[in-house]
Amino acid sequence: MSLKKIYFAILVAAAAIIIISMFTGTKFIPVSLGILQEMIVDWKIFVPAIVCAFAFSKVRYYWLTMLVCSIVTSMIVQVFFFSMRAGLYIIGLRALCFLIVVYIVDYLRLIGKRK
């Protein structure tokens, strides 16, 4: 299975989970999506995610590196721009937002790459 197909399968699975959660009345995912929607347009997460996606594009363990970068960036943004006290939920959502931006950038780069 090619990398493009794997990325597309992840995209379809995420969309299916979101749609199913909205029809079943689960409040956790739509509430989290609302918070993510506010975070994703914030430059404090968007810019470091794009920089890390391009800077570490040739690293062997790319997604492990992105996971570590997302957690570190999330904690740094929380400490410097918000209060020192934050729950694991907000830090996790900010890290997930970072990973979503990296995923989108990487997927677009895969689509644009010619073989």
Side-chain angles (χ1 to χ4, degrees):
M1 189 176 229
S2 72
L3 201 54
K4 286 182 186 179
K5 289 181 182 179
I6 292 171
Y7 273 56
F8 185 70
I10 292 170
L11 183 66
V12 169
I17 289 171
I18 291 168
I19 291 170
I20 290 170
S21 71
M22 290 191 184
F23 285 125
T24 60
T26 307
K27 298 293 181 195
F28 176 72
I29 294 176
V31 168
S32 298
L33 286 174
I35 295 170
L36 281 173
Q37 185 179 8
E38 294 171 7
M39 285 183 185
I40 205 160
V41 295
D42 192 13
W43 68 270
K44 297 172 202 118
I45 294 295
F46 190 79
V47 172
I50 291 176
V51 169
C52 286
F54 285 112
F56 297 117
S57 64
K58 302 294 182 194
V59 174
R60 182 174 179 181
Y61 298 107
Y62 180 74
W63 283 106
L64 184 61
T65 306
M66 290 301 109
L67 180 64
V68 171
C69 286
S70 70
I71 293 170
V72 169
T73 302
S74 176
M75 289 183 184
I76 289 172
V77 165
Q78 185 64 38
V79 168
F80 286 114
F81 294 106
F82 302 105
S83 69
M84 293 285 272
R85 296 174 30 199
L88 187 61
Y89 177 69
I90 293 297
I91 291 174
L93 276 179
R94 197 169 282 120
L96 179 65
C97 182
F98 183 98
L99 290 173
I100 289 170
V101 172
V102 169
Y103 169 82
I104 291 169
V105 167
D106 202 37
Y107 191 40
L108 290 175
R109 188 174 29 191
L110 270 175
I111 291 172
K113 187 188 295 186
R114 295 187 179 193
K115 275 194 162 180

